[in-house]
Amino acid sequence: MMDLYDPLIDNKNMDLSDLKFKLEKLGVKKRWYSLDEEFADEAFCIHRSKERELWEVYYCERGEKSNLRTFKSEDEACEWFYHFITSDHVVMSHLEK
């Protein structure tokens, strides 16, 4: 039987589907993040800004963006998002088993 693709060990650039795979594999609950939806409340967010053609990564609370970082590539944004969310002690203390 052939192994499924695993972006954790593959060297290709990360995209949103790879990021989602990594978060699910780690056990991060979906309520903690929003992939490609602007202004999900109380969540870590990543999406492509249509006006600026940049990727934005931030934490959204009460409709306000905090810790906003922008990136030119989806890969850079996804890598930073993964680091950003896995560095949060609250998220990491509530992983699904």
Side-chain angles (χ1 to χ4, degrees):
M1 182 195 253
M2 187 177 218
D3 286 340
L4 295 174
Y5 162 74
D6 187 345
L8 294 171
I9 58 174
D10 192 16
N11 290 326
K12 81 173 199 75
N13 289 341
M14 191 186 319
D15 62 19
L16 289 178
S17 62
D18 298 330
L19 176 59
K20 182 179 179 188
F21 179 89
K22 288 177 75 166
L23 294 171
E24 288 174 351
K25 187 168 185 162
L26 184 61
V28 177
K29 295 179 182 178
K30 290 181 182 176
R31 70 182 178 101
W32 291 115
Y33 62 90
S34 173
L35 306 181
D36 213 22
E37 293 177 32
E38 194 170 4
F39 294 115
D41 204 30
E42 307 291 326
F44 291 85
C45 302
I46 181 173
H47 79 278
R48 185 165 185 180
S49 170
K50 292 174 180 70
E51 319 69 64
R52 298 173 48 200
E53 294 189 18
L54 293 171
W55 286 89
E56 295 184 340
V57 176
Y58 54 91
Y59 184 78
C60 186
E61 185 174 7
R62 297 181 184 151
E64 297 292 323
K65 295 178 184 179
S66 63
N67 298 311
L68 174 64
R69 302 256 330 237
T70 58
F71 302 88
K72 291 182 180 180
S73 77
E74 182 176 9
D75 174 58
E76 290 175 314
C78 288
E79 291 286 349
W80 175 252
F81 184 93
Y82 187 77
H83 168 75
F84 187 37
I85 196 167
T86 58
S87 296
D88 187 272
H89 72 279
V90 176
V91 170
M92 297 308 290
S93 67
H94 292 89
L95 296 177
E96 294 178 339
K97 299 194 187 234

